[in-house]
């Protein structure tokens, strides 16, 4: 990614619905250049899914919790597949260190969260879990500072 790609991504971050023509005008680039670069960024995986912008609260799931799990390593693929089968599991990260997985879950209320945590613990291959309720988001997901740095050429 070069500075021009970063400028395009910054413009899209500010206005995700911007058309290629509007982006080209705003950035002082040709429509073909912007279209080709956006297509390349999409194909390269630089642009995440639209789902990322939908808040779980709007879907009736106002609670967010983080579950850490220890896993029998030879069952990691099986555990990952089982976690993907739980609708309320919205992200799973493999970790280094004492715990193996960080699982982000959303829930309608604490009773539902208790049930989800039980589902996770019941997955064959999971040794132990710890659940922490997110009280509030202090720094939301963001990439704009990194995009600004890249757009400036640094």
């Amino acid at each position: 990614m070069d500075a021009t790609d970063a400028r395009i991504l910054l413009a899209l971050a500010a206005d995700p619905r911007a058309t290629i023509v509007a982006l080209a005008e705003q950035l002082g680039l040709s429509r073909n250049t912007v279209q080709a670069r956006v297509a390349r960024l999409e194909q390269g995986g630089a642009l995440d899914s639209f789902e990322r912008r939908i808040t779980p609260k709007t879907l009736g799931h106002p609670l967010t919790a983080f579950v850490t799990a220890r896993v029998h390593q030879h069952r990691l693929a099986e555990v990952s597949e089982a976690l993907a089968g739980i609708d309320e599991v919205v992200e799973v990260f493999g970790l280094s260190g004492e715990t193996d997985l960080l699982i982000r879950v959303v829930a309608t209320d604490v009773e539902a969260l208790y049930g989800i945590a039980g589902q996770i613990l019941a997955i064959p291959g999971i040794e132990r879990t710890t659940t922490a309720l997110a009280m509030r988001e202090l720094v939301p997901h963001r990439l704009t500072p990194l995009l600004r740095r890249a757009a400036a050429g640094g």
Side-chain angles (χ1 to χ4, degrees), residues 10-75:
L10 269 173
L12 282 171
D15 184 5
R17 296 181 189 180
T19 65
I20 297 295
V21 172
L23 290 171
E25 288 175 7
Q26 177 185 348
L27 299 170
L29 300 169
S30 76
R31 182 191 61 77
N32 288 341
T33 297
V34 173
Q35 186 153 10
R37 284 178 177 256
V38 168
R40 187 174 42 82
L41 289 166
E42 287 174 336
Q43 292 168 356
L47 296 173
D48 208 348
S49 73
F50 178 75
E51 286 183 350
R52 186 105 172 123
R53 299 188 57 216
I54 301 168
T55 61
K57 185 177 181 178
T58 63
L59 300 173
H61 291 72
L63 295 182
T64 296
F66 294 92
V67 178
T68 57
R70 301 251 343 226
V71 177
H72 293 285
Q73 293 302 305
H74 66 281
R75 299 189 87 169

Short mmCIF file of all heavy atoms in Angstrom, two decimals, residues 10-75:
data_model
loop_
_atom_site.label_atom_id
_atom_site.label_comp_id
_atom_site.label_asym_id
_atom_site.label_seq_id
_atom_site.Cartn_x
_atom_site.Cartn_y
_atom_site.Cartn_z
N LEU A 10 -8.64 6.54 3.61
CA LEU A 10 -9.06 7.61 4.52
C LEU A 10 -10.37 8.24 4.05
O LEU A 10 -11.27 8.49 4.85
CB LEU A 10 -7.99 8.70 4.62
CG LEU A 10 -6.94 8.55 5.69
CD1 LEU A 10 -5.86 9.62 5.52
CD2 LEU A 10 -7.55 8.64 7.07
N ALA A 11 -10.47 8.49 2.76
CA ALA A 11 -11.68 9.08 2.20
C ALA A 11 -12.86 8.12 2.37
O ALA A 11 -13.97 8.55 2.72
CB ALA A 11 -11.48 9.44 0.73
N LEU A 12 -12.63 6.84 2.18
CA LEU A 12 -13.70 5.86 2.38
C LEU A 12 -14.07 5.72 3.85
O LEU A 12 -15.24 5.50 4.18
CB LEU A 12 -13.28 4.49 1.81
CG LEU A 12 -13.38 4.36 0.30
CD1 LEU A 12 -12.74 3.06 -0.17
CD2 LEU A 12 -14.84 4.43 -0.15
N ALA A 13 -13.09 5.86 4.74
CA ALA A 13 -13.39 5.81 6.18
C ALA A 13 -14.28 6.98 6.58
O ALA A 13 -15.18 6.83 7.39
CB ALA A 13 -12.09 5.82 6.98
N ALA A 14 -14.03 8.14 5.97
CA ALA A 14 -14.83 9.33 6.27
C ALA A 14 -16.23 9.23 5.66
O ALA A 14 -17.20 9.70 6.24
CB ALA A 14 -14.12 10.58 5.78
N ASP A 15 -16.32 8.62 4.48
CA ASP A 15 -17.61 8.50 3.78
C ASP A 15 -17.66 7.16 3.05
O ASP A 15 -17.34 7.08 1.86
CB ASP A 15 -17.78 9.65 2.79
CG ASP A 15 -19.15 9.62 2.11
OD1 ASP A 15 -20.00 8.77 2.46
OD2 ASP A 15 -19.37 10.47 1.21
N PRO A 16 -18.06 6.10 3.77
CA PRO A 16 -18.06 4.75 3.18
C PRO A 16 -18.96 4.60 1.95
O PRO A 16 -18.79 3.68 1.17
CB PRO A 16 -18.56 3.86 4.31
CG PRO A 16 -18.38 4.64 5.54
CD PRO A 16 -18.47 6.08 5.16
N ARG A 17 -19.91 5.51 1.79
CA ARG A 17 -20.83 5.42 0.65
C ARG A 17 -20.38 6.23 -0.56
O ARG A 17 -21.08 6.31 -1.55
CB ARG A 17 -22.22 5.90 1.08
CG ARG A 17 -22.83 5.03 2.14
CD ARG A 17 -24.19 5.54 2.49
NE ARG A 17 -24.70 4.84 3.66
CZ ARG A 17 -25.86 5.07 4.20
NH1 ARG A 17 -26.65 5.99 3.70
NH2 ARG A 17 -26.25 4.40 5.25
N ALA A 18 -19.22 6.82 -0.46
CA ALA A 18 -18.73 7.66 -1.56
C ALA A 18 -18.59 6.84 -2.84
O ALA A 18 -18.12 5.71 -2.82
CB ALA A 18 -17.38 8.28 -1.19
N THR A 19 -18.98 7.45 -3.93
CA THR A 19 -18.84 6.78 -5.23
C THR A 19 -17.40 6.94 -5.71
O THR A 19 -16.64 7.77 -5.21
CB THR A 19 -19.78 7.42 -6.27
OG1 THR A 19 -19.37 8.77 -6.48
CG2 THR A 19 -21.23 7.36 -5.82
N ILE A 20 -17.05 6.14 -6.69
CA ILE A 20 -15.72 6.24 -7.28
C ILE A 20 -15.49 7.63 -7.85
O ILE A 20 -14.42 8.23 -7.67
CB ILE A 20 -15.53 5.15 -8.38
CG1 ILE A 20 -15.62 3.74 -7.78
CG2 ILE A 20 -14.24 5.37 -9.14
CD1 ILE A 20 -14.51 3.40 -6.80
N VAL A 21 -16.51 8.18 -8.51
CA VAL A 21 -16.40 9.52 -9.10
C VAL A 21 -16.17 10.57 -8.01
O VAL A 21 -15.30 11.44 -8.13
CB VAL A 21 -17.65 9.86 -9.94
CG1 VAL A 21 -17.64 11.31 -10.39
CG2 VAL A 21 -17.75 8.93 -11.14
N ALA A 22 -16.93 10.46 -6.91
CA ALA A 22 -16.78 11.42 -5.81
C ALA A 22 -15.39 11.31 -5.19
O ALA A 22 -14.77 12.33 -4.86
CB ALA A 22 -17.86 11.20 -4.76
N LEU A 23 -14.91 10.09 -5.03
CA LEU A 23 -13.56 9.90 -4.49
C LEU A 23 -12.51 10.51 -5.41
O LEU A 23 -11.57 11.18 -4.96
CB LEU A 23 -13.27 8.41 -4.27
CG LEU A 23 -14.02 7.71 -3.15
CD1 LEU A 23 -13.80 6.20 -3.22
CD2 LEU A 23 -13.60 8.25 -1.80
N ALA A 24 -12.66 10.27 -6.70
CA ALA A 24 -11.70 10.81 -7.66
C ALA A 24 -11.66 12.33 -7.60
O ALA A 24 -10.58 12.93 -7.58
CB ALA A 24 -12.06 10.33 -9.07
N GLU A 25 -12.83 12.96 -7.55
CA GLU A 25 -12.89 14.43 -7.47
C GLU A 25 -12.27 14.93 -6.17
O GLU A 25 -11.48 15.89 -6.19
CB GLU A 25 -14.34 14.91 -7.58
CG GLU A 25 -14.92 14.76 -8.96
CD GLU A 25 -16.40 15.13 -9.02
OE1 GLU A 25 -16.96 15.64 -8.02
OE2 GLU A 25 -17.01 14.88 -10.08
N GLN A 26 -12.61 14.31 -5.07
CA GLN A 26 -12.11 14.74 -3.77
C GLN A 26 -10.59 14.62 -3.68
O GLN A 26 -9.93 15.47 -3.11
CB GLN A 26 -12.76 13.88 -2.67
CG GLN A 26 -12.28 14.19 -1.28
CD GLN A 26 -12.87 13.24 -0.24
OE1 GLN A 26 -13.81 12.50 -0.50
NE2 GLN A 26 -12.31 13.27 0.95
N LEU A 27 -10.04 13.55 -4.25
CA LEU A 27 -8.61 13.28 -4.13
C LEU A 27 -7.77 13.83 -5.29
O LEU A 27 -6.55 13.74 -5.26
CB LEU A 27 -8.40 11.77 -4.00
CG LEU A 27 -9.07 11.11 -2.78
CD1 LEU A 27 -9.00 9.60 -2.87
CD2 LEU A 27 -8.43 11.62 -1.50
N GLY A 28 -8.44 14.36 -6.31
CA GLY A 28 -7.71 14.89 -7.45
C GLY A 28 -7.07 13.80 -8.29
O GLY A 28 -5.99 14.00 -8.84
N LEU A 29 -7.73 12.66 -8.39
CA LEU A 29 -7.23 11.52 -9.17
C LEU A 29 -8.22 11.20 -10.27
O LEU A 29 -9.39 11.58 -10.21
CB LEU A 29 -7.06 10.30 -8.27
CG LEU A 29 -6.10 10.43 -7.08
CD1 LEU A 29 -6.24 9.24 -6.14
CD2 LEU A 29 -4.67 10.54 -7.58
N SER A 30 -7.79 10.46 -11.27
CA SER A 30 -8.72 10.05 -12.32
C SER A 30 -9.64 8.95 -11.81
O SER A 30 -9.29 8.19 -10.90
CB SER A 30 -7.95 9.55 -13.55
OG SER A 30 -7.44 8.25 -13.30
N ARG A 31 -10.82 8.90 -12.40
CA ARG A 31 -11.80 7.88 -12.02
C ARG A 31 -11.23 6.48 -12.23
O ARG A 31 -11.38 5.60 -11.39
CB ARG A 31 -13.09 8.04 -12.83
CG ARG A 31 -14.17 7.03 -12.45
CD ARG A 31 -15.32 7.02 -13.44
NE ARG A 31 -14.93 6.65 -14.78
CZ ARG A 31 -14.67 5.41 -15.20
NH1 ARG A 31 -14.72 4.40 -14.37
NH2 ARG A 31 -14.34 5.19 -16.46
N ASN A 32 -10.52 6.27 -13.34
CA ASN A 32 -9.94 4.95 -13.62
C ASN A 32 -8.90 4.55 -12.58
O ASN A 32 -8.83 3.40 -12.17
CB ASN A 32 -9.32 4.93 -15.03
CG ASN A 32 -10.37 4.93 -16.11
OD1 ASN A 32 -11.53 4.60 -15.87
ND2 ASN A 32 -9.98 5.32 -17.32
N THR A 33 -8.10 5.52 -12.14
CA THR A 33 -7.08 5.24 -11.12
C THR A 33 -7.75 4.81 -9.83
O THR A 33 -7.37 3.81 -9.21
CB THR A 33 -6.20 6.48 -10.89
OG1 THR A 33 -5.50 6.78 -12.09
CG2 THR A 33 -5.21 6.25 -9.77
N VAL A 34 -8.76 5.57 -9.40
CA VAL A 34 -9.44 5.25 -8.14
C VAL A 34 -10.14 3.90 -8.25
O VAL A 34 -10.04 3.07 -7.35
CB VAL A 34 -10.44 6.37 -7.75
CG1 VAL A 34 -11.27 5.95 -6.55
CG2 VAL A 34 -9.68 7.67 -7.47
N GLN A 35 -10.83 3.68 -9.36
CA GLN A 35 -11.54 2.41 -9.53
C GLN A 35 -10.58 1.23 -9.51
O GLN A 35 -10.84 0.21 -8.85
CB GLN A 35 -12.34 2.42 -10.83
CG GLN A 35 -13.22 1.19 -10.98
CD GLN A 35 -14.43 1.46 -11.83
OE1 GLN A 35 -14.53 2.50 -12.47
NE2 GLN A 35 -15.35 0.53 -11.83
N ALA A 36 -9.47 1.34 -10.19
CA ALA A 36 -8.49 0.25 -10.22
C ALA A 36 -7.90 0.00 -8.84
O ALA A 36 -7.72 -1.14 -8.41
CB ALA A 36 -7.39 0.56 -11.23
N ARG A 37 -7.59 1.08 -8.13
CA ARG A 37 -7.00 0.92 -6.80
C ARG A 37 -8.00 0.36 -5.81
O ARG A 37 -7.64 -0.49 -4.98
CB ARG A 37 -6.42 2.26 -6.32
CG ARG A 37 -5.10 2.58 -7.02
CD ARG A 37 -4.57 3.93 -6.55
NE ARG A 37 -3.29 4.22 -7.14
CZ ARG A 37 -2.13 4.13 -6.50
NH1 ARG A 37 -2.09 3.73 -5.25
NH2 ARG A 37 -1.00 4.42 -7.11
N VAL A 38 -9.24 0.81 -5.85
CA VAL A 38 -10.26 0.26 -4.94
C VAL A 38 -10.47 -1.22 -5.23
O VAL A 38 -10.55 -2.04 -4.31
CB VAL A 38 -11.58 1.06 -5.04
CG1 VAL A 38 -12.72 0.33 -4.33
CG2 VAL A 38 -11.41 2.46 -4.45
N ALA A 39 -10.51 -1.59 -6.49
CA ALA A 39 -10.67 -3.01 -6.85
C ALA A 39 -9.49 -3.83 -6.32
O ALA A 39 -9.68 -4.92 -5.77
CB ALA A 39 -10.79 -3.17 -8.37
N ARG A 40 -8.29 -3.29 -6.45
CA ARG A 40 -7.10 -4.00 -5.95
C ARG A 40 -7.14 -4.11 -4.43
O ARG A 40 -6.80 -5.14 -3.86
CB ARG A 40 -5.83 -3.28 -6.41
CG ARG A 40 -4.55 -4.04 -6.08
CD ARG A 40 -3.30 -3.41 -6.67
NE ARG A 40 -3.21 -1.97 -6.62
CZ ARG A 40 -2.81 -1.28 -5.54
NH1 ARG A 40 -2.47 -1.90 -4.45
NH2 ARG A 40 -2.75 0.04 -5.59
N LEU A 41 -7.57 -3.05 -3.75
CA LEU A 41 -7.67 -3.07 -2.28
C LEU A 41 -8.71 -4.10 -1.82
O LEU A 41 -8.50 -4.81 -0.84
CB LEU A 41 -8.02 -1.68 -1.75
CG LEU A 41 -6.90 -0.64 -1.85
CD1 LEU A 41 -7.44 0.76 -1.63
CD2 LEU A 41 -5.79 -0.96 -0.87
N GLU A 42 -9.83 -4.18 -2.55
CA GLU A 42 -10.86 -5.17 -2.22
C GLU A 42 -10.33 -6.58 -2.41
O GLU A 42 -10.49 -7.44 -1.54
CB GLU A 42 -12.11 -4.95 -3.07
CG GLU A 42 -12.91 -3.74 -2.67
CD GLU A 42 -14.07 -3.47 -3.62
OE1 GLU A 42 -14.02 -3.89 -4.81
OE2 GLU A 42 -15.03 -2.81 -3.19
N GLN A 43 -9.69 -6.83 -3.55
CA GLN A 43 -9.17 -8.16 -3.85
C GLN A 43 -8.06 -8.56 -2.89
O GLN A 43 -7.91 -9.72 -2.56
CB GLN A 43 -8.68 -8.23 -5.29
CG GLN A 43 -9.79 -8.14 -6.30
CD GLN A 43 -9.27 -7.92 -7.72
OE1 GLN A 43 -8.08 -7.75 -7.95
NE2 GLN A 43 -10.20 -7.91 -8.68
N GLY A 44 -7.28 -7.58 -2.44
CA GLY A 44 -6.18 -7.85 -1.52
C GLY A 44 -6.60 -7.99 -0.07
O GLY A 44 -5.78 -8.26 0.79
N GLY A 45 -7.89 -7.77 0.21
CA GLY A 45 -8.38 -7.93 1.57
C GLY A 45 -8.22 -6.70 2.45
O GLY A 45 -8.41 -6.77 3.66
N ALA A 46 -7.87 -5.55 1.86
CA ALA A 46 -7.68 -4.34 2.66
C ALA A 46 -9.01 -3.77 3.15
O ALA A 46 -9.05 -3.09 4.16
CB ALA A 46 -6.95 -3.28 1.85
N LEU A 47 -10.08 -4.05 2.44
CA LEU A 47 -11.39 -3.56 2.84
C LEU A 47 -12.16 -4.69 3.53
O LEU A 47 -12.39 -5.74 2.94
CB LEU A 47 -12.17 -3.04 1.63
CG LEU A 47 -11.55 -1.83 0.95
CD1 LEU A 47 -12.29 -1.50 -0.33
CD2 LEU A 47 -11.53 -0.65 1.89
N ASP A 48 -12.56 -4.44 4.77
CA ASP A 48 -13.26 -5.44 5.58
C ASP A 48 -14.72 -5.52 5.14
O ASP A 48 -15.21 -4.70 4.37
CB ASP A 48 -13.16 -5.04 7.06
CG ASP A 48 -13.22 -6.21 8.00
OD1 ASP A 48 -13.55 -7.33 7.56
OD2 ASP A 48 -12.92 -6.01 9.19
N SER A 49 -15.43 -6.47 5.72
CA SER A 49 -16.84 -6.65 5.36
C SER A 49 -17.71 -5.54 5.93
O SER A 49 -17.36 -4.89 6.91
CB SER A 49 -17.33 -8.00 5.91
OG SER A 49 -17.48 -7.92 7.31
N PHE A 50 -18.85 -5.35 5.33
CA PHE A 50 -19.82 -4.36 5.77
C PHE A 50 -20.32 -4.70 7.18
O PHE A 50 -20.66 -3.81 7.95
CB PHE A 50 -21.00 -4.32 4.79
CG PHE A 50 -22.07 -3.35 5.19
CD1 PHE A 50 -21.88 -1.99 5.02
CD2 PHE A 50 -23.26 -3.80 5.73
CE1 PHE A 50 -22.87 -1.09 5.40
CE2 PHE A 50 -24.24 -2.90 6.11
CZ PHE A 50 -24.06 -1.54 5.93
N GLU A 51 -20.33 -5.98 7.53
CA GLU A 51 -20.80 -6.42 8.85
C GLU A 51 -20.09 -5.69 9.99
O GLU A 51 -20.66 -5.51 11.05
CB GLU A 51 -20.57 -7.91 9.04
CG GLU A 51 -21.49 -8.79 8.27
CD GLU A 51 -21.24 -10.26 8.57
OE1 GLU A 51 -20.23 -10.59 9.23
OE2 GLU A 51 -22.06 -11.07 8.16
N ARG A 52 -18.86 -5.30 9.79
CA ARG A 52 -18.05 -4.67 10.83
C ARG A 52 -18.72 -3.40 11.36
O ARG A 52 -18.51 -3.01 12.48
CB ARG A 52 -16.68 -4.32 10.25
CG ARG A 52 -15.72 -3.81 11.25
CD ARG A 52 -14.74 -4.92 11.53
NE ARG A 52 -13.68 -4.45 12.35
CZ ARG A 52 -13.39 -5.02 13.51
NH1 ARG A 52 -14.08 -6.02 13.95
NH2 ARG A 52 -12.40 -4.58 14.21
N ARG A 53 -19.55 -2.75 10.54
CA ARG A 53 -20.17 -1.49 10.91
C ARG A 53 -21.51 -1.67 11.62
O ARG A 53 -22.08 -0.71 12.09
CB ARG A 53 -20.35 -0.63 9.67
CG ARG A 53 -19.00 -0.32 9.02
CD ARG A 53 -19.11 0.68 7.91
NE ARG A 53 -19.71 1.89 8.44
CZ ARG A 53 -20.54 2.64 7.74
NH1 ARG A 53 -20.88 2.32 6.53
NH2 ARG A 53 -21.04 3.74 8.26
N ILE A 54 -22.03 -2.87 11.67
CA ILE A 54 -23.31 -3.12 12.33
C ILE A 54 -23.04 -3.40 13.80
O ILE A 54 -22.24 -4.26 14.14
CB ILE A 54 -24.02 -4.32 11.68
CG1 ILE A 54 -24.26 -4.06 10.20
CG2 ILE A 54 -25.34 -4.61 12.40
CD1 ILE A 54 -24.70 -5.28 9.42
N THR A 55 -23.70 -2.66 14.68
CA THR A 55 -23.48 -2.87 16.11
C THR A 55 -24.40 -3.97 16.62
O THR A 55 -25.58 -4.02 16.26
CB THR A 55 -23.73 -1.58 16.91
OG1 THR A 55 -25.08 -1.18 16.73
CG2 THR A 55 -22.79 -0.47 16.47
N PRO A 56 -23.87 -4.87 17.46
CA PRO A 56 -24.70 -5.95 18.01
C PRO A 56 -25.92 -5.42 18.77
O PRO A 56 -26.97 -6.06 18.79
CB PRO A 56 -23.75 -6.70 18.94
CG PRO A 56 -22.38 -6.39 18.42
CD PRO A 56 -22.47 -5.00 17.88
N LYS A 57 -25.79 -4.25 19.37
CA LYS A 57 -26.90 -3.67 20.12
C LYS A 57 -28.13 -3.48 19.23
O LYS A 57 -29.25 -3.70 19.67
CB LYS A 57 -26.47 -2.33 20.73
CG LYS A 57 -27.49 -1.69 21.62
CD LYS A 57 -26.93 -0.42 22.23
CE LYS A 57 -27.95 0.23 23.15
NZ LYS A 57 -27.43 1.44 23.78
N THR A 58 -27.91 -3.09 17.97
CA THR A 58 -29.04 -2.89 17.05
C THR A 58 -29.75 -4.21 16.75
O THR A 58 -30.89 -4.20 16.32
CB THR A 58 -28.61 -2.23 15.73
OG1 THR A 58 -27.71 -3.09 15.05
CG2 THR A 58 -28.00 -0.88 15.96
N LEU A 59 -29.06 -5.32 16.98
CA LEU A 59 -29.64 -6.63 16.75
C LEU A 59 -30.19 -7.25 18.03
O LEU A 59 -30.50 -8.44 18.07
CB LEU A 59 -28.58 -7.57 16.13
CG LEU A 59 -28.00 -7.10 14.80
CD1 LEU A 59 -26.85 -8.00 14.38
CD2 LEU A 59 -29.07 -7.04 13.73
N GLY A 60 -30.30 -6.42 19.09
CA GLY A 60 -30.85 -6.91 20.36
C GLY A 60 -29.85 -7.61 21.25
O GLY A 60 -30.23 -8.35 22.15
N HIS A 61 -28.56 -7.41 21.01
CA HIS A 61 -27.49 -8.04 21.79
C HIS A 61 -26.59 -6.95 22.39
O HIS A 61 -25.49 -6.71 21.91
CB HIS A 61 -26.67 -8.99 20.92
CG HIS A 61 -27.43 -10.20 20.50
ND1 HIS A 61 -28.44 -10.16 19.58
CD2 HIS A 61 -27.34 -11.48 20.91
CE1 HIS A 61 -28.94 -11.37 19.42
NE2 HIS A 61 -28.28 -12.19 20.22
N PRO A 62 -27.06 -6.28 23.46
CA PRO A 62 -26.30 -5.16 24.00
C PRO A 62 -25.08 -5.54 24.85
O PRO A 62 -24.22 -4.70 25.09
CB PRO A 62 -27.33 -4.43 24.87
CG PRO A 62 -28.27 -5.52 25.31
CD PRO A 62 -28.34 -6.46 24.14
N LEU A 63 -25.00 -6.78 25.29
CA LEU A 63 -23.87 -7.20 26.12
C LEU A 63 -22.75 -7.78 25.26
O LEU A 63 -23.00 -8.56 24.35
CB LEU A 63 -24.28 -8.26 27.13
CG LEU A 63 -25.28 -7.85 28.20
CD1 LEU A 63 -25.53 -9.03 29.14
CD2 LEU A 63 -24.79 -6.65 28.97
N THR A 64 -21.52 -7.38 25.58
CA THR A 64 -20.34 -7.95 24.95
C THR A 64 -19.49 -8.55 26.06
O THR A 64 -19.33 -7.95 27.12
CB THR A 64 -19.52 -6.88 24.21
OG1 THR A 64 -20.31 -6.36 23.14
CG2 THR A 64 -18.23 -7.46 23.63
N ALA A 65 -18.96 -9.73 25.81
CA ALA A 65 -18.07 -10.38 26.77
C ALA A 65 -16.90 -10.98 26.01
O ALA A 65 -16.99 -11.26 24.80
CB ALA A 65 -18.80 -11.45 27.55
N PHE A 66 -15.82 -11.16 26.74
CA PHE A 66 -14.64 -11.80 26.17
C PHE A 66 -14.38 -13.07 26.96
O PHE A 66 -14.27 -13.03 28.19
CB PHE A 66 -13.43 -10.86 26.22
CG PHE A 66 -13.62 -9.66 25.33
CD1 PHE A 66 -14.17 -8.49 25.83
CD2 PHE A 66 -13.29 -9.73 23.99
CE1 PHE A 66 -14.37 -7.40 25.01
CE2 PHE A 66 -13.49 -8.64 23.16
CZ PHE A 66 -14.03 -7.47 23.67
N VAL A 67 -14.32 -14.17 26.25
CA VAL A 67 -14.08 -15.46 26.86
C VAL A 67 -12.68 -15.89 26.44
O VAL A 67 -12.37 -15.91 25.25
CB VAL A 67 -15.12 -16.51 26.40
CG1 VAL A 67 -14.83 -17.87 27.02
CG2 VAL A 67 -16.54 -16.04 26.73
N THR A 68 -11.85 -16.20 27.41
CA THR A 68 -10.55 -16.79 27.09
C THR A 68 -10.67 -18.28 27.32
O THR A 68 -11.39 -18.73 28.22
CB THR A 68 -9.41 -16.21 27.95
OG1 THR A 68 -9.72 -16.38 29.33
CG2 THR A 68 -9.20 -14.74 27.64
N ALA A 69 -9.99 -19.06 26.49
CA ALA A 69 -10.12 -20.51 26.59
C ALA A 69 -8.78 -21.19 26.42
O ALA A 69 -7.95 -20.76 25.62
CB ALA A 69 -11.09 -21.02 25.51
N ARG A 70 -8.61 -22.25 27.19
CA ARG A 70 -7.47 -23.15 27.00
C ARG A 70 -7.99 -24.32 26.19
O ARG A 70 -9.07 -24.84 26.46
CB ARG A 70 -6.93 -23.64 28.35
CG ARG A 70 -6.47 -22.54 29.25
CD ARG A 70 -5.01 -22.39 29.49
NE ARG A 70 -4.15 -23.47 29.18
CZ ARG A 70 -3.19 -23.92 29.97
NH1 ARG A 70 -3.01 -23.39 31.16
NH2 ARG A 70 -2.40 -24.87 29.58
N VAL A 71 -7.21 -24.74 25.21
CA VAL A 71 -7.67 -25.75 24.25
C VAL A 71 -6.62 -26.84 24.11
O VAL A 71 -5.42 -26.57 24.12
CB VAL A 71 -7.91 -25.08 22.87
CG1 VAL A 71 -8.31 -26.09 21.82
CG2 VAL A 71 -8.94 -23.98 22.98
N HIS A 72 -7.10 -28.08 23.96
CA HIS A 72 -6.19 -29.17 23.57
C HIS A 72 -5.77 -28.86 22.14
O HIS A 72 -6.61 -28.82 21.23
CB HIS A 72 -6.90 -30.53 23.62
CG HIS A 72 -7.28 -30.97 24.99
ND1 HIS A 72 -6.37 -31.45 25.89
CD2 HIS A 72 -8.48 -31.00 25.61
CE1 HIS A 72 -6.99 -31.76 27.01
NE2 HIS A 72 -8.27 -31.48 26.87
N GLN A 73 -4.48 -28.65 21.93
CA GLN A 73 -3.99 -28.15 20.64
C GLN A 73 -4.36 -29.05 19.46
O GLN A 73 -4.65 -28.55 18.38
CB GLN A 73 -2.47 -27.95 20.70
CG GLN A 73 -2.07 -26.82 21.63
CD GLN A 73 -2.70 -25.49 21.23
OE1 GLN A 73 -2.55 -25.05 20.10
NE2 GLN A 73 -3.41 -24.87 22.15
N HIS A 74 -4.38 -30.35 19.67
CA HIS A 74 -4.70 -31.24 18.55
C HIS A 74 -6.18 -31.16 18.17
O HIS A 74 -6.59 -31.73 17.17
CB HIS A 74 -4.29 -32.69 18.89
CG HIS A 74 -5.06 -33.30 20.01
ND1 HIS A 74 -4.78 -33.01 21.34
CD2 HIS A 74 -6.09 -34.16 20.00
CE1 HIS A 74 -5.62 -33.70 22.10
NE2 HIS A 74 -6.43 -34.39 21.32
N ARG A 75 -6.98 -30.44 18.93
CA ARG A 75 -8.41 -30.29 18.63
C ARG A 75 -8.77 -28.86 18.22
O ARG A 75 -9.94 -28.50 18.17
CB ARG A 75 -9.23 -30.73 19.83
CG ARG A 75 -8.98 -32.20 20.19
CD ARG A 75 -9.92 -32.67 21.22
NE ARG A 75 -11.14 -33.14 20.55
CZ ARG A 75 -12.08 -33.82 21.18
NH1 ARG A 75 -11.97 -34.09 22.46
NH2 ARG A 75 -13.16 -34.20 20.53
#
